[in-house]
Amino acid sequence: MTAKSNEAPTSSRLLESMLATPRRELWSWDQPEREAAQLEVARERFEALRSRVPQLAKLADLQQVESIDTLDDLAPLLFQDTVYKSYPISLITRGRFDLLTRWLDGITSHDLSHVDVSGCAGFDDWFDKLEAQTPLRPHHSTGTTGKLSIIPRDQRELDRFEHLLVRNYEPFDDEPDPLDLLRKGSEPIPIVHPSYRHGRHLAQRMMDALVRQIGSEETTYVLFDDALSADIMSLVGQVRGASMRGALDEMELSPDLLARYRTVIERQAKQAEHQAAFFERVVKDLNGEGVYVVGVSAMLYEWAVKGEEHGIDQLFASESIITSGGGMKGIVVPDDWQGRVEEFLGAPLRFGYGMSESMGAANMCATGNYHPLPMTVPFVLDVETGTPTPRSGTRTGRYAFLDLITESFWGGFVTGDRVTVTWDGCACGRRGPYFHPRIERFSELEGGDDKVSCSGSVDAHKEAMEWLVAKAGLN
């Protein structure tokens, strides 16, 4: 293991070329061309990060992987989905952010040994310290299981994320450019997001990018113009877990965190009032305008119902971009929910498939399939064995991937998603693999218990995780 530094690894020239290539060209690559480029960048990435990311080095040693000669050689090195939340939650309740930093040092290429985290009272303080003293710009998951996943991205990757977010709208073949249709000269595009404006969750990172790239703070409409607290998100997950275990009385909260939690609870009690006021402001200011909307499907359906009650339809201009996803969050909706939402908003919904651990999302084409760009190497793993299925024909199994864009951490990841992938091109004309629209969580299919069969040896992954915890002094 070589000494770490906070200098970024030398970026692959081929990757930089791929990032700059027009999307219509990337989607025209045939499978051999695509996979040859992916293999070259993956090999470079492994060689660069093995000496800088301790967890990757340990797993490679355990799996006896010395080189990457084929894409399937990557499969034993794909991290379990628990790796980014493998710290004990007791570190947070005990205020041991020094040990949490040591744990994070095991999964990032950046040197965190010098970081002073004294005085941290929670995740939000800790993130502030990391960003002030290192190139890291981490983001976190929702923490619905009681723990936040911590994704250690850096500033260069954040810049690339913004680049991808806008460039992914580049058209294929003779399709129009939706952003060009929406723009009015140099005027900022109005952005609507019925949630928090700031924070380190993926949605708030995306809002930062959109405001800088296509909008402005003045023309951005959000439900709450403050920050989504990582501490509160973590606490909500912990409370939910403790409640399910019947252990709420055992929870200990600091006075500061308790006060902030009470504020959130009070705000939630007035959620309907906040939503109504926000809805009225959007209708008043943006009726008939071309806008960019970021909203989960459940929220957009609630808007449609409210619009129907007020006799409102075709709220926005038809060229508006309405991005959606996130499921229905337990809300039961009728079969015609999407048509009703589109009738109310005045523009079609645009769906994408992505996750916090991946830099690039797969956008849906007119045929209804999701198309990843070559900067993501997809795998369909056999559900029972965890081994890669052939990269041809149509395959169903567990989705895993290697994100070639990440350099501050290893981008190999095994998801909890059951997908069907066709590798031989789509009726829309795009070549290469695509995801069928039906994507399901194994945890939901199996009654809440998702037993991951990891690529290669399950024991090696478990041993590598235990080593990481021990190395950080957490056991």
Side-chain angles (χ1 to χ4, degrees):
M1 177 71 64
T2 61
K4 284 191 175 190
S5 76
N6 281 321
E7 294 295 323
T10 301
S11 185
S12 163
R13 291 183 179 179
L14 177 55
L15 175 63
E16 294 297 337
S17 174
M18 291 165 68
L19 289 169
T21 299
R23 296 316 187 238
R24 58 169 53 90
E25 293 183 25
L26 292 179
W27 275 314
S28 296
W29 285 7
D30 57 27
Q31 193 67 357
E33 182 180 14
R34 174 188 291 250
E35 293 190 354
Q38 289 174 332
L39 179 59
E40 180 178 336
V41 178
R43 184 183 292 119
E44 292 176 353
R45 185 68 71 247
F46 174 69
E47 292 173 355
L49 292 184
R50 181 174 185 174
S51 62
R52 299 178 58 140
V53 178
Q55 177 73 346
L56 174 61
K58 184 63 176 179
L59 186 57
D61 290 345
L62 290 169
Q63 300 282 47
Q64 300 182 332
V65 177
E66 296 296 331
S67 62
I68 305 299
D69 300 315
T70 70
L71 290 178
D72 283 354
D73 291 340
L74 295 161
L77 303 177
L78 303 176
F79 285 172
Q80 295 184 40
D81 60 352
T82 53
V83 71
Y84 297 113
K85 54 183 176 183
S86 58
Y87 56 89
I89 197 66
S90 60
L91 297 187
I92 313 305
T93 57
R94 291 161 46 207
R96 292 304 306 270
F97 289 93
D98 56 332
L99 295 182
L100 190 64
T101 304
R102 192 184 303 173
W103 165 82
L104 188 66
D105 194 55
I107 57 176
T108 177
S109 63
H110 290 292
D111 178 20
L112 307 184
S113 61
H114 66 288
V115 177
D116 179 8
V117 295
S118 58
C120 286
F123 276 116
D124 294 328
D125 292 341
W126 184 59
F127 287 140
D128 287 342
K129 299 257 186 189
L130 289 172
E131 293 185 354
Q133 300 174 57
T134 75
L136 288 183
R137 300 296 181 266
H139 71 264
H140 59 79
S141 67
T142 55
T144 53
T145 61
K147 276 188 181 181
L148 301 181
S149 293
I150 311 299
I151 314 299
R153 292 213 172 97
D154 62 17
Q155 184 60 55
R156 181 159 70 165
E157 288 162 345
L158 204 57
D159 293 340
R160 285 176 171 172
F161 175 70
E162 291 193 10
H163 168 91
L164 284 170
L165 189 62
V166 175
R167 289 207 57 202
N168 274 357
Y169 284 102
E170 288 181 11
F172 175 74
D173 202 16
D174 58 354
E175 299 170 347
D177 187 319
L179 282 176
D180 282 349
L181 295 177
L182 191 54
R183 287 190 177 98
K184 296 179 180 178
S186 59
E187 294 181 18
I189 296 172
I191 301 169
V192 180
H193 181 49
S195 185
Y196 288 84
R197 165 63 186 90
H198 303 285
R200 296 180 174 97
H201 185 261
L202 179 62
Q204 281 65 46
R205 292 293 195 194
M206 185 167 70
M207 285 300 297
D208 290 339
L210 289 171
V211 169
R212 280 192 286 264
Q213 294 292 322
I214 67 171
S216 70
E217 295 291 357
E218 294 73 24
T219 57
T220 295
Y221 292 70
V222 292
L223 183 60
F224 301 121
D225 197 23
D226 53 359
L228 178 64
S229 169
D231 291 316
I232 296 300
M233 294 191 76
S234 174
L235 179 58
V236 168
Q238 293 176 55
V239 168
R240 184 185 297 112
S243 177
M244 293 175 64
R245 298 190 306 272
L248 278 174
D249 292 341
E250 302 173 11
M251 290 195 67
E252 297 182 6
L253 302 179
S254 69
D256 174 68
L257 188 55
L258 183 59
R260 283 195 286 160
Y261 187 53
R262 284 173 179 157
T263 299
V264 170
I265 294 300
E266 291 169 359
R267 174 178 276 180
Q268 287 181 340
K270 298 180 180 179
Q271 183 85 348
E273 298 176 25
H274 291 300
Q275 289 282 9
F278 179 64
F279 181 84
E280 291 174 7
R281 185 161 66 97
V282 169
V283 171
K284 176 178 176 292
D285 292 356
L286 299 176
N287 194 352
E289 296 291 324
V291 301
Y292 190 112
V293 178
V294 181
V296 296
S297 300
M299 177 64 69
L300 296 181
Y301 176 69
E302 290 179 4
W303 274 22
V305 172
K306 188 179 293 291
E308 290 169 352
E309 292 172 353
H310 290 77
I312 301 171
D313 63 3
Q314 306 295 311
L315 176 59
F316 303 126
S318 60
E319 66 270 17
S320 296
I321 296 176
I322 315 292
T323 62
S324 183
M328 284 300 172
K329 309 300 183 186
I331 298 175
V332 178
V333 298
D335 293 340
D336 65 347
W337 74 268
Q338 182 175 340
R340 290 168 62 183
V341 169
E342 293 177 343
E343 175 66 21
F344 164 66
L345 294 176
L349 297 183
R350 293 176 178 267
F351 296 99
Y353 176 49
M355 56 203 66
S356 299
E357 295 81 7
S358 175
M359 290 276 283
N363 288 343
M364 181 177 280
C365 70
T367 308
N369 299 314
Y370 297 109
H371 292 266
L373 287 163
M375 289 78 85
T376 300
V377 184
F379 296 85
V380 180
L381 305 182
D382 183 276
V383 175
E384 298 299 326
T385 66
T387 56
T389 60
R391 307 173 75 82
S392 61
T394 296
R395 310 288 172 176
T396 298
R398 183 181 296 274
Y399 176 48
F401 62 86
L402 175 65
D403 185 349
L404 298 175
I405 302 173
T406 59
E407 296 170 339
S408 63
F409 65 99
W410 177 241
F413 190 74
V414 179
T415 79
D417 293 348
R418 180 182 185 274
V419 300
T420 297
V421 172
T422 294
W423 293 90
D424 308 322
C426 177
C428 73
R430 290 171 174 83
R431 296 183 180 179
Y434 65 81
F435 302 96
H436 292 223
R438 185 177 179 85
I439 297 172
E440 301 168 292
R441 297 288 295 175
F442 278 102
S443 58
E444 297 173 358
L445 292 171
E446 299 173 6
D449 187 13
D450 179 15
K451 298 179 176 63
V452 179
S453 297
C454 294
S455 311
S457 167
V458 175
D459 291 338
H461 280 266
K462 181 180 179 182
E463 185 176 343
M465 294 279 283
E466 291 172 346
W467 169 86
L468 176 62
V469 171
K471 180 180 183 297
L474 306 180
N475 57 355

